[in-house]
Amino acid sequence: MSDFDAFAALLDYPVYVVTAAGREPAGCLVGFAGQCSIRPSRFVVWISRANHTHAAALRADALAVHLLPRDHRLAEVFGGLSGTGKFPLVEWYHGPFGAPILAAAPAWFVGRVLDLAEWGDHTGLLLAPVAVHVPPGAAPLLCYRDVADVEPGQPA
């Protein structure tokens, strides 16, 4: 383990499920993401090039970013399975821009894709929020350490 790997192992931050519309909906568990501007509001999600969702995200006009409930169900489906068989396993509906919205997510937003950057083994997609759903009393969110036991559906 490198010194940086040891440093990164100490971090704990939210994980998200990012979904994209297309011929078939696509979605994946994302650990690299965060707000990157206050005014204007901007958020960036980093999607692994090895992930099936990567190609769909690059074609999408908008992406949905979901916070996850404390249980592992959505993390296991979107982090542990690869390909297109995830959506029949969860309740979802079409949201703004046709983005798939996960019904079990305690909060979500849909962001229009403004830009992208190819850095390392991930592509960063810069999002401008266009629709946000945060119900009163939203439940605590799922963090990286909470899903450390989920076996990835593809190599990292």
Side-chain angles (χ1 to χ4, degrees), residues 75-121:
E76 289 172 358
V77 169
F78 287 91
L81 300 178
S82 185
T84 60
K86 301 170 191 177
F87 285 88
L89 303 176
V90 300
E91 186 179 338
W92 66 279
Y93 57 93
H94 293 283
F97 288 87
I101 303 298
L102 305 177
W108 55 264
F109 79 90
V110 172
R112 197 168 37 87
V113 178
L114 299 179
D115 200 2
L116 60 88
E118 300 283 341
W119 290 353
D121 56 2

Side-chain angles (χ1 to χ4, degrees), residues 22-102:
R23 281 178 279 157
E24 292 186 35
C28 63
L29 187 67
V30 171
F32 303 140
Q35 183 177 355
C36 59
S37 175
I38 298 170
R39 287 183 183 74
S41 296
R42 298 292 184 261
F43 194 89
V44 66
V45 294
W46 295 91
I47 299 178
S48 169
R49 286 191 204 111
N51 197 298
H52 172 80
T53 302
H54 184 265
L58 293 183
R59 289 189 303 269
D61 292 329
L63 301 175
V65 178
H66 305 79
L67 293 175
L68 301 182
R70 299 291 294 173
D71 69 67
H72 278 208
R73 180 159 156 51
L74 290 176
E76 289 172 358
V77 169
F78 287 91
L81 300 178
S82 185
T84 60
K86 301 170 191 177
F87 285 88
L89 303 176
V90 300
E91 186 179 338
W92 66 279
Y93 57 93
H94 293 283
F97 288 87
I101 303 298
L102 305 177

Side-chain angles (χ1 to χ4, degrees), residues 1-13 32 143-148:
M1 177 183 283
S2 74
D3 290 343
F4 184 75
D5 290 338
F7 175 86
L10 298 175
L11 301 174
D12 195 18
Y13 39 84
F32 303 140
C143 290
Y144 180 73
R145 289 184 194 260
D146 298 325
V147 299

